[in-house]
Amino acid sequence: MKKLAIIALAAGLSASTAFAGGYTAPVVEAEPVVVKGNSSSNAGILIPALLLVGIAVAASSN
């Protein structure tokens, strides 16, 4: 009876580890991509151009 209990215990422990889990592929998360716009270079040209147009309009109205 003791041998049967040991065999049953060994079979139960080995069966539980066999079904513990399978292979799962590792999940690799991609790094976020930051896109920088060129809005600062457009504003750098636009503001002096508007300033020159404003000065030209003010000068021509006199």
Side-chain angles (χ1 to χ4, degrees):
M1 190 60 135
K2 201 179 232 185
K3 286 184 183 181
L4 182 62
I6 293 172
I7 293 173
L9 178 66
L13 290 175
S14 65
S16 66
T17 58
F19 295 112
Y23 174 76
T24 56
V27 177
V28 178
E29 296 182 15
E31 294 182 18
V33 177
V34 178
V35 178
K36 294 182 180 179
N38 292 333
S39 63
S40 63
S41 64
N42 291 339
I45 296 171
L46 184 63
I47 293 173
L50 289 176
L51 182 63
L52 288 175
V53 170
I55 292 172
V57 169
S60 68
S61 65
N62 286 337

